[in-house]
Amino acid sequence: LLPQSSEMFGLIASGRLVTTSWEQISTTNCVAELSDADSVNHIVIFLTGQTPFPDGMGGAVYFAWPDLSGGLPNWQLLGHISNQKPSAIFRIGKLKAGEINTQNSFALLGHKAFNHINALVGISVEPLNIIEGQTPAAQTEAGNVSSFMEFSQKMLENLFNYASSFAVTPSDMRMKPGESYVPLSSLQQWYTNFERRLQQNPSFWKN
């Protein structure tokens, strides 16, 4: 089911470049390392478009903190992607390293990942009717993050359009000496920068 996993999935950690480096550990499971995971709040998992899921199948997305003692990774379910939902944003910043979900295909494989010193992101190809019935770990809030980003972008567009409706010409400015004006280009630059930072890290405004 995963003949070309490295070409099938993409991983983005907020503020970092895209990675498509996946290690296939079974016919249905692959993993990717996430270095310095303590500094990452959100990740994005997506289909690259090279290879779709087989009909009726999807990918359950898991996250695991490293076990420096060499034991099994502590896999926690984040959510899923599918052909109908080709990308998803997951919050990993509040996942606790001590929690473990033994009811998943990675735990059943007994993958110890001796060569991994970093956190792991795993994708397991499973039937959609099984994936959609699973409950993600608490605090991942994939849906809430997506809704927040959508709301923020709509708010930015609304502010920009509203402010643009009051644009005046230089001659109009001279007729109202008591008013202060902001160049429309500076508002456009602010909008572009804010949207870019929001896409990189939806929680950047908290810092």
Side-chain angles (χ1 to χ4, degrees):
L1 293 176
L2 287 174
Q4 299 271 336
S5 62
S6 62
E7 297 181 1
M8 188 171 180
F9 306 118
L11 164 65
I12 302 175
S14 52
R16 303 184 188 181
L17 296 174
V18 177
T19 179
T20 56
S21 299
W22 297 86
E23 175 190 354
Q24 190 166 332
I25 60 175
S26 78
T27 57
T28 59
N29 298 70
C30 62
V31 297
E33 288 197 71
L34 183 62
S35 61
D36 194 20
D38 288 333
S39 66
V40 178
N41 288 319
H42 298 85
I43 60 172
V44 178
I45 302 294
F46 62 94
L47 289 173
T48 61
Q50 295 293 321
T51 307
F53 286 108
D55 290 343
M57 305 294 283
V61 182
Y62 292 88
F63 177 81
W65 293 104
D67 188 334
L68 301 182
S69 66
L72 295 176
N74 296 325
W75 291 107
Q76 300 178 66
L77 178 65
L78 300 180
H80 74 278
I81 58 173
S82 65
N83 293 335
Q84 294 72 38
K85 181 188 175 185
S87 65
I89 303 172
F90 303 110
R91 183 179 185 180
I92 64 171
K94 290 193 175 182
L95 289 176
K96 297 179 181 179
E99 296 179 354
I100 184 169
N101 174 10
T102 59
Q103 300 301 314
N104 66 75
S105 59
F106 289 97
L108 296 175
L109 285 172
H111 176 60
K112 288 193 174 183
F114 289 111
N115 297 323
H116 299 295
I117 60 173
N118 297 309
L120 296 173
V121 178
I123 298 178
S124 174
V125 177
E126 302 173 19
L128 274 174
N129 60 339
I130 294 178
I131 293 176
E132 292 172 346
Q134 297 173 337
T135 302
Q139 305 293 330
T140 54
E141 300 176 348
N144 290 343
V145 173
S146 298
S147 297
F148 170 74
M149 290 188 64
E150 183 178 1
F151 164 76
S152 300
Q153 289 172 332
K154 292 296 183 182
M155 182 182 66
L156 288 173
E157 293 174 6
N158 184 271
L159 172 62
F160 182 79
N161 292 335
Y162 178 78
S164 299
S165 69
F166 292 95
V168 296
T169 63
S171 59
D172 292 330
M173 292 171 58
R174 289 193 294 269
M175 296 175 61
K176 298 180 180 180
E179 294 283 354
S180 297
Y181 296 92
V182 177
L184 194 60
S185 59
S186 64
L187 184 61
Q188 174 69 64
Q189 185 63 42
W190 167 82
Y191 171 86
T192 301
N193 289 339
F194 193 96
E195 186 175 42
R196 173 179 53 80
R197 296 182 67 187
L198 185 67
Q199 291 173 344
Q200 293 177 342
N201 179 9
S203 297
F204 84 91
W205 53 274
K206 294 182 180 180
N207 298 327

